[in-house]
Amino acid sequence: MTVEAPDPRVRTWSPVCQAVALLLGPYAEVVLHDVARDEVLALWNPMGSRAPGDPSLLGELDGLAPTAPDVYGPYEKLLPDGRRLSSVSAVLRDTDGRPSAVLCVNLDRGPLEHAAALLAGFAAPTAPRPEPLFEHDWTERMNDVIGGYVRAHGRPPERLGREDRLAVLRELDRAGVLAVRRAVPAVATALRVSRSTVYALLADLRTEAGPGSEAGHDIGTGTGPGTGPETGTGTGPETGPGTGPESHAGPEAGPAADAPQRNER
């Protein structure tokens, strides 16, 4: 900032000008003009060689009437070096309503335009996904289903209700995700619920599908590729009711327990 002048208008408006300069600096120049003498009173973050006492050249603001607007802009200006500015001018009136000073804020648009161009480049259309690379990636299919539902309904996963989660699980079943071993823990994490919640919802879907339907047997069985602790035959803490974490044996599991077990493979 320039050396503060004894002019009372500078003392009055200096805190405002300094606050704007601090907020928008170093990309904004704040200038306080004397309307009567058409000269610069003070500058903050000067962008050029102007100094207090230099001509303001505010001819377009001469003869302002008491009923004229007090704020002009934003309007575009150019510096000699080619930089584009967005400017706002505010007329500051005295107690009698006469223009006393003009406060101008000149914002350098260059950094904003560069940032906009950078963001536009990242937002450019992408090429179609190479499906051969993803056709066996069930986690990608899971993310597509859950992410698509979240975007379509405008609610994050933790705010989805029971019917929303059932709808997501139906779509995951159609996409073949629920037939993959270890899918339930991944789905629970993506939906931000517990595994027991997912198992309970899958049990409801099996009941909804009916005991005789193919879907009623396939939902939540986790019989797809993969091996590990979630294969459905373990007896650890994640096995849940029945014979495994995704078997869901219970009242609706089928005939008597001593009946021959169907080979799910």
Side-chain angles (χ1 to χ4, degrees):
M1 175 188 164
T2 57
V3 177
E4 187 174 351
D7 191 296
R9 291 168 296 180
V10 175
R11 289 197 299 269
T12 299
W13 295 105
S14 178
V16 175
C17 296
Q18 185 176 5
V20 174
L22 288 173
L23 179 64
L24 301 179
Y27 306 113
E29 173 188 65
V30 182
V31 189
L32 194 62
H33 299 277
D34 186 311
V35 175
R37 297 198 302 266
D38 194 29
E39 66 180 29
V40 175
L41 284 173
L43 294 95
W44 292 258
N45 292 336
M47 291 183 177
S49 58
R50 286 191 300 179
D54 287 349
S56 294
L57 304 178
L58 296 178
E60 70 273 17
L61 296 180
D62 286 345
L64 288 173
T67 57
D70 286 340
V71 179
Y72 297 82
Y75 52 88
E76 186 174 326
K77 293 171 63 175
L78 282 175
L79 292 179
D81 60 9
R83 281 181 292 172
R84 299 170 63 196
L85 307 178
S86 288
S87 301
V88 173
S89 296
V91 178
L92 310 177
R93 300 179 182 272
D94 60 22
T95 56
D96 295 325
R98 294 188 300 266
S100 172
V102 174
L103 190 158
C104 291
V105 180
N106 302 312
L107 180 66
D108 185 356
R109 294 170 53 172
L112 297 177
E113 291 172 348
H114 291 319
L118 178 64
L119 294 175
F122 280 113
T126 57
R129 185 173 69 179
E131 290 302 329
L133 297 180
F134 294 97
E135 61 180 343
H136 298 299
D137 191 341
W138 62 271
T139 58
E140 289 286 338
R141 282 179 279 152
M142 178 189 72
N143 292 339
D144 285 345
V145 169
I146 298 176
Y149 192 93
V150 165
R151 288 179 64 88
H153 292 78
R155 295 193 299 277
E158 63 270 17
R159 293 187 59 192
L160 296 179
R162 180 178 179 278
E163 293 304 319
D164 294 315
R165 292 168 183 159
L166 286 172
V168 169
L169 291 176
R170 290 189 196 99
E171 188 60 33
L172 290 172
D173 184 45
R174 284 192 288 268
V177 172
L178 298 182
V180 180
R181 292 190 180 99
R182 293 188 295 271
V184 167
V187 170
T189 298
L191 290 176
R192 301 180 186 176
V193 297
S194 65
R195 298 184 191 183
S196 60
T197 297
V198 175
Y199 286 131
L201 293 170
L202 290 175
D204 291 342
L205 285 183
R206 285 199 305 170
T207 303
E208 175 186 285
S213 68
E214 183 178 350
H217 291 291
D218 291 342
I219 290 176
T221 57
T223 57
T227 59
E230 301 292 336
T231 58
T233 59
T235 58
E238 295 299 333
T239 58
T243 60
E246 293 167 10
S247 66
H248 298 284
E252 65 272 26
D258 60 349
Q261 297 297 311
R262 181 167 63 93
N263 186 353
E264 297 289 348
R265 300 290 293 180

